[in-house]
Every structure is written in structure tokens, then in C-alpha cells.
Amino acid sequence: MLGNRALAREIQGEIGKATGEQVAVSIRDGIARLRGRLSSHQATVEAGHLAASMDQVREVVNDIVFPGQMRFKPPRKVSEELTGREFDVVVVGGGVIGLAVARELSQFNLSIALFERHNDVGMDQTTHSCAMIHPAIQAEYGTLRWEMNYKGNAMWGETARQLDVDFKRIGTLIVAENPEEEALLPYARDTAIKHNDPEPKLLDREGLDRVEPGLAANVRKGVLVWNTGIISVFELLIAYAENALSNGVSIFLDTSVIGVRTEDSSIKAVDTTRGTVRTKILINAAGLYADRIAEYAGDRFFTIHPRKGETIIFDKSYQPVRTVFAPVSLAAESRESKYTKGGGIIPTTDGNLQFGPTAIEVCDKEDVSTTAEGCDSLFDRLAPLLERLKPEYEKPDKRKIITQFAGCRAATYKEDFIIEPSRKVRGLVYVAGIQSPGLASTPAIVERVREIIQEEWHPSVNDKFNPVRKRQVRFSELDLKQQEELIQSGPRYGHIVCRCENVSEAEVVRALNGEIAARSLDGVKRRTRAGQGRCQGGFCMPRIVEIISREIGIGKERVVKSEGESYILSRRTK
């Protein structure tokens, strides 16, 4: 085993060979720290991965500077309204992980607060995910990501039942097009078994036709990894939040953490944009900014480097597949990709098909821009597979694409999850580096956090904890008789606001007055699907703006698309 100086020199040499440039490297407690200047962001990311590739390196702090680097601008304090409040536990981050952790810990007699920087929950990674519950077959065997993936996947049936969220196990279908590919199918089955997925099903042509009708004549064999699932991710966020609230958790939106106070190497308080809150336990589930929270606490031992993924969505009229569709050639391509599973052809619970996501390293954690290049690359890569393998079905058509979106994954350079108590600061617990398959892993991740809290603090059990949450009825899911009864109980159910998704005015009003209330056009969209259909809000947006204005009590020109100054209207004209 190399000593710290020898290891640092080796890493420095490898970076020099790869980039042609030199940086300073130091090692302490297994943490590689990189400093200096490189000519590009890509070289900086490559340097971080080279350092992380060393087995003796636990994590990487990458402080290399490069041209065009984004400077972090801390949010400003806006009030002191929370100063003086005290909670046993503070959770930083209102994505699916933070909300699920808060809900999980409400099983104990603990006062819990959750701080989310946006005006709604899950606005970073979660709502920009492909909403897929991955099998563990593609996770690197032996990593924490793999362990959380296979354990979490198996837990989703019960979790979705408790939260009353739409969840379907549709499976991943790997199909072979020739004898050479057919010979690889048993390997796919054996790999899944090794990764602790349930044993996949080897299918002959008759079995394939039952799972995916319309396959090309040359496709005679396949493997169904049947535990792959899809979930309604927007509904899931609200479900976790509502269940956490009903079990006593306090959720504070529009609240950013801007500092952490410690005393004798223990958590004492958290500074936020709305004041200082005292606490003994801080759960760092801050996603893309988890390294920033670690720095505030004096224990930064990793760097988050954002990796953007773009996805395209097709109209519901185009539904060529029932499963997550993965020809052997695509599955092999994904296995060869070092830091991503490669994206694919994925149905959604709402009936749309999606292609994606891509995987591109970016320097801006806020970069959710979409590009024509991203759309074209996904279509050009995946559409030919459907044309070749599903010749009897309607051909892919770019005119069927109704929208595209992008989000950034919160990756560390070791590309693994960090779920552990701090080794330096008592009371600080990390739930960081949670990228794909973070959604699939969520139930297992929060179970691990619960175990950490139990072992460290031994809280008593909350006998009143209720894990069950019931969702509101969707008008579009009812038959005509049930819809008529609902209209009789509330006439606004008879006012259809969104024709594409059959969303009523009553449902929009309910979204604006819920426990976690929508405060924007996108907030209404996430809760009701109004604006997510073929016309993407072209018909319903003016009416929804009117309803938001009326229900919240603001002028129409103050209604925002998302948050901040994303106003829909610029001014009154008359």
C-alpha cells in the first residue's frame, strides 16, 4: 500500500499524462484534494475521476479552477422569523430523499424540520428524473449504490401501497436479433441473479409476443427482467410530503441553509435565509449542494460535479412498447458506459413514451437547459431501434415529441452513494451523492438513515405514526356515473380546464389549497397534469393563470411559471 505522499505523486502523474497539465494533489484520511488550474472543465472532471479511481482514495475534493467556472452566490437572508425555533432533527433538501428521510424519522418521538430552497418540493433531481425504479443489474456490483438499489427496488410495492401512488412493474425486456446476441442472454440472466435481482425470465418467441407484440421476425429470444418499475414521481413527492406532515414534520419552503454552527465538534444550529434554528441532528440530503452544506459544517470531504441528462417525451398517441425496451446492442452499450447507465426507451405511468436521458458533464448545477442537439441525439440513437425491432408498429416521428426536459445528477467522483454519520462532526449525517438509481433506492436509503439515528441517539418510538396516505381522486380516472356524482357535489368538477389531460377546475383549486400548496403554473402542472398533454398548456394556461390569481389573491401579472421572476405576463394592456 502506498503512503500518502507516494499516492499523491502517482495521482499527480496520471493527471499530467491525461491532461498534459499539472495540479497539486494531497492525501489525508483517504481524501484526495486537488488544487491548481486546468484549461477546461472537462479536464477538471477527468482529473477528479482519475484521483477517485485509486482504491486507497475514499473520496475526492476537487478545487481545481478552470475558465468559465461558475461562482457560487449564496442566497441572502430575508428574515429572522425562524430564529429561536428548535428541532431535534433538521433535514436539508426537499427532494424525494429528504422528504422520505423526514417521513421515516417521524416514526420516532423527534421534532423534525425540513428546509427546501425552492418554492416547491423536488424541483431539482427528482422532478427531472425518468421516474423509473431500476433493477440492480446495471449497478456496479459491491458498491453501496448496488446494495441500496436491489434492497430498495424490492421495497417499492409496499411503499407505493402505503402512499397510494401509481406504481407498475413493467419489466425491462432485453431482446436478441441474431444467434450471437442470443448466446448473451443467459449472461444477462446470470448477471441479474448475481446482482440480487429476482431471477429474470428467458423467453422464446411465444413468450416475447405475450410481453411485446409486433416484434420483428428475426427476434426469437429475449430476457425479461421483470422487477423494473415505473412510478408517478410528481405524485410520490406530494405523497411523501403529506404523510410527513400528518406525522408531525414541519416543512419550510423558500428556505435556504446558509451556514451551520458547531460547538465542540457537534451540531448546534443551522443558519437559514429565514433565521437561525437550533438542532442536534442535521441530515444533509441537499443533493447538488450537499458538498456546500458539508463545507458549512467544516467537514467537506467530497465534491459534487453535476451531470446533466436530457429527455424527450412523446404524445400519448404513440405507445409502441409496454416495457422498458432494451435490445442486446443497447444493453451492451450501457454496460460499456463508465459513469452512466446510458438511458433508453421508457414508458411512463401516464401513458407517454420517453427517450433518455443523456449524460453530459456540466459546470453549472442549475443548468436544466435543453438543446436541439440533445433531442436529435436521443431520437437518432433510439428511434432506429424501434423501427428495426417493431416494424408492424407506427414509426417514430419527431412531430410526436411534445416536450423535452433536463436535470442534473448529484454525482461524486467515486460515483457512489454516501450514507453515513460524519467522522468529524457529531450530529451530522450524510445522504449525499445520490444519483441514479436514487429513486429506486429510496426506501432502502431511508431505512439505512433510520438505523444510523437509532444507533447514535436511541430515540423512542412514536406510537401514533401512521404510514398510510390516501391520494385525492382524479376526475379523469372516473367513469361517467362517478364523474356526474362528483359534479353534483362540486360544480367546478364540471369545468374542464385542461382538455388534453381532462383536468377540472376543482382539481386546480385543490392543488392551490393543499397541505403542500402549488404556487406556480408548474406547481399546478406537477399536481394535476394540467399542461402536460399534447398542447403543453397552449389551451389551458390562460385559464389556470386566472384561477391562480383568484385563489392566491395576486394580480395575473404576478403569476409565475416556476419561481423567482418567471412571470407569465409582462404587463397589462388595458
Side-chain angles (χ1 to χ4, degrees), residues 1 23 48 63 73 166 179 189 235 242 333 351 358 393 459 501:
M1 181 179 290
V23 296
D63 287 330
K73 296 179 181 179
D166 192 8
R189 180 198 59 194
E235 181 69 28
E242 288 180 349
E333 177 185 324
T358 59
Y393 278 58
E501 297 295 322

Side-chain angles (χ1 to χ4, degrees), residues 21 29-30 51 57-58 105 114 140 182 213 230 278 297 305 334 354 379 394 417 448 459 465 485 561:
E21 303 173 86
D29 298 327
V57 171
R58 174 182 159 219
L105 296 185
L114 181 144
E140 184 180 349
E182 288 176 7
I230 52 175
R278 294 187 64 81
H305 60 101
S334 299
Q354 56 185 342
F379 190 88
E394 181 182 358
F417 296 167
R448 177 67 61 91
F465 173 75
E485 291 172 353
K561 180 183 184 296

Side-chain angles (χ1 to χ4, degrees), residues 20 120 161 200 207 232 276 294 305 333 337 391 413 433 441 444 536 574:
D120 205 352
R161 184 196 65 77
S232 177
T276 299
H305 60 101
E333 177 185 324
S337 182
Y413 284 103
S441 304
Q536 288 290 292
K574 61 179 179 178

Side-chain angles (χ1 to χ4, degrees), residues 345-364:
I345 301 166
I346 309 167
T348 69
T349 56
D350 296 300
N352 301 93
L353 182 70
Q354 56 185 342
F355 283 1
T358 59
I360 303 169
E361 299 288 348
V362 293
C363 58
D364 184 2

Side-chain angles (χ1 to χ4, degrees), residues 83-160:
T83 296
R85 298 286 296 273
E86 184 170 352
F87 295 90
D88 297 319
V89 180
V90 164
V91 180
V92 184
V96 67
I97 300 297
L99 290 167
V101 165
R103 182 242 191 186
E104 187 80 4
L105 296 185
S106 67
Q107 296 182 49
F108 301 121
N109 288 312
L110 296 168
S111 57
I112 302 168
L114 181 144
F115 296 145
E116 166 54 44
R117 69 191 182 103
H118 292 295
N119 69 352
D120 205 352
V121 294
M123 286 178 63
D124 284 321
Q125 290 190 96
T126 310
T127 57
H128 296 111
S129 75
C130 64
M132 179 175 163
I133 305 302
H134 294 79
I137 187 173
Q138 289 178 298
E140 184 180 349
Y141 182 76
T143 62
L144 185 57
R145 283 173 75 183
W146 160 73
E147 181 186 348
M148 295 296 99
N149 190 171
Y150 85 76
K151 289 181 177 178
N153 179 292
M155 299 167 73
W156 266 113
E158 176 61 16
T159 301

Side-chain angles (χ1 to χ4, degrees), residues 92-404:
V92 184
V96 67
I97 300 297
L99 290 167
V101 165
R103 182 242 191 186
E104 187 80 4
L105 296 185
S106 67
Q107 296 182 49
F108 301 121
N109 288 312
L110 296 168
S111 57
I112 302 168
L114 181 144
F115 296 145
E116 166 54 44
R117 69 191 182 103
H118 292 295
N119 69 352
D120 205 352
V121 294
M123 286 178 63
D124 284 321
Q125 290 190 96
T126 310
T127 57
H128 296 111
S129 75
C130 64
M132 179 175 163
I133 305 302
H134 294 79
I137 187 173
Q138 289 178 298
E140 184 180 349
Y141 182 76
T143 62
L144 185 57
R145 283 173 75 183
W146 160 73
E147 181 186 348
M148 295 296 99
N149 190 171
Y150 85 76
K151 289 181 177 178
N153 179 292
M155 299 167 73
W156 266 113
E158 176 61 16
T159 301
R161 184 196 65 77
Q162 289 179 349
L163 296 173
D164 198 11
V165 175
D166 192 8
F167 168 65
K168 301 171 183 174
R169 291 203 184 273
I170 60 172
T172 295
L173 185 63
I174 304 172
V175 297
E177 298 184 70
N178 53 57
E180 291 76 17
E181 291 185 351
E182 288 176 7
L184 296 175
L185 294 176
Y187 169 78
R189 180 198 59 194
D190 294 344
T191 301
I193 294 171
K194 175 188 174 183
H195 283 64
N196 283 15
D197 282 322
E199 183 173 353
K201 300 174 182 177
L202 283 171
L203 303 176
D204 57 14
R205 181 62 200 220
E206 184 179 352
L208 288 170
D209 286 338
R210 287 195 296 268
V211 175
E212 279 290 0
L215 287 167
N218 63 309
V219 179
R220 298 178 301 175
K221 292 183 180 181
V223 169
L224 179 65
V225 184
W226 62 265
N227 63 322
T228 302
I230 52 175
I231 198 163
S232 177
V233 73
F234 303 134
E235 181 69 28
L236 178 65
L237 286 164
I238 299 303
Y240 267 129
E242 288 180 349
N243 194 238
L245 285 170
S246 69
N247 284 295
V249 174
S250 299
I251 297 177
F252 300 95
L253 302 177
D254 283 319
T255 308
S256 296
V257 171
I258 55 176
V260 177
R261 301 190 185 191
T262 61
E263 187 177 307
D264 297 327
S265 298
S266 297
I267 295 292
K268 292 299 178 184
V270 175
D271 294 321
T272 79
T273 49
R274 294 168 62 192
T276 299
V277 175
R278 294 187 64 81
T279 187
K280 296 178 182 178
I281 304 172
L282 176 62
I283 310 292
N284 182 357
L288 290 159
Y289 291 95
D291 51 353
R292 183 68 55 179
I293 301 302
E295 184 174 24
Y296 289 155
D299 185 30
R300 178 174 172 244
F301 65 91
F302 60 92
T303 293
I304 298 294
H305 60 101
R307 182 181 296 126
K308 186 170 76 169
E310 295 186 50
T311 300
I312 55 178
I313 302 287
F314 291 84
D315 183 61
K316 289 182 180 179
S317 63
Y318 180 60
Q319 297 184 22
V321 293
R322 301 174 180 178
T323 60
V324 175
F325 199 52
V328 166
S329 56
L330 182 62
E333 177 185 324
S334 299
R335 293 292 298 177
E336 291 170 4
S337 182
K338 196 169 184 181
Y339 303 120
T340 175
K341 295 184 297 304
I345 301 166
I346 309 167
T348 69
T349 56
D350 296 300
N352 301 93
L353 182 70
Q354 56 185 342
F355 283 1
T358 59
I360 303 169
E361 299 288 348
V362 293
C363 58
D364 184 2
K365 294 179 179 181
E366 306 289 329
D367 184 358
V368 293
S369 61
T370 56
T371 62
E373 292 79 12
C375 177
D376 290 343
S377 69
L378 284 168
F379 190 88
D380 293 345
R381 174 170 163 250
L382 299 174
L385 297 176
L386 287 173
E387 290 191 42
R388 189 172 75 234
L389 295 169
K390 305 277 286 186
E392 296 179 20
Y393 278 58
E394 181 182 358
K395 297 290 186 290
D397 187 340
K398 280 188 178 178
R399 290 172 296 182
K400 292 275 188 179
I401 298 171
I402 59 172
T403 191
Q404 62 187 116

